[in-house]
Amino acid sequence: MTRPSRFPAAVFLDRDGVINRKAPEGEYICCWSDFEFLPGVFEAIARLNRAGYLVFVFTNQRGIALRRMTNEAVVEIHRRMRAALEKAGAPIEAVFICPHGIEDQCECRKPKPGMLLEARSRYGVDLTRSIVIGDRESDLEAGRAVGAAVYQVGPRTSLLDLISSFA
Ligand SMILES: [Mg+2]
């Protein structure tokens, strides 16, 4: 067994298209009944936990800025998502949300790495030993900006397929 580092490695998962089926273009996951886990996600996250990674979710939710859903509704979706994962033995350390629109010029909306930097300051994560997994180029761009390894989920490559090489 390797000695745990003072600065843990983490896996950062995008949400829509990685953990749950994404909404059709221009639509948003507005409530729990819209949320559908993708196959293999519970097992993938459980394996990442067992491999010693802190697991975070980092998600752009522009629908909040567009008033398509409230911040509270998104927090409630994440509470239920985390409860389901925890029950399956696949806990998530924290969920980071960017609620801003494109025009808000914030530092957290991907492809900017603000949510990753926040995880570093709050949890002492070593980003250069960490992994970012997303379905979009903007997820990967955020990861590259902080020196993390990046992997892309696609129509033929699930989260479970991807993590099998390291967890
Ligand atoms: Mg996505």
Side-chain angles (χ1 to χ4, degrees), residues 2 9 39 135 151:
T2 53
D135 65 325
Y151 292 87

Side-chain angles (χ1 to χ4, degrees), residues 40 47 131 156:
R47 280 168 62 171
I131 294 167
R156 275 171 223 83

Side-chain angles (χ1 to χ4, degrees), residues 96-110:
F96 296 93
I97 306 168
C98 170
H100 304 114
I102 298 164
E103 56 295 331
D104 291 333
Q105 303 276 335
C106 64
E107 292 303 314
C108 47
R109 185 175 165 80
K110 292 177 273 186

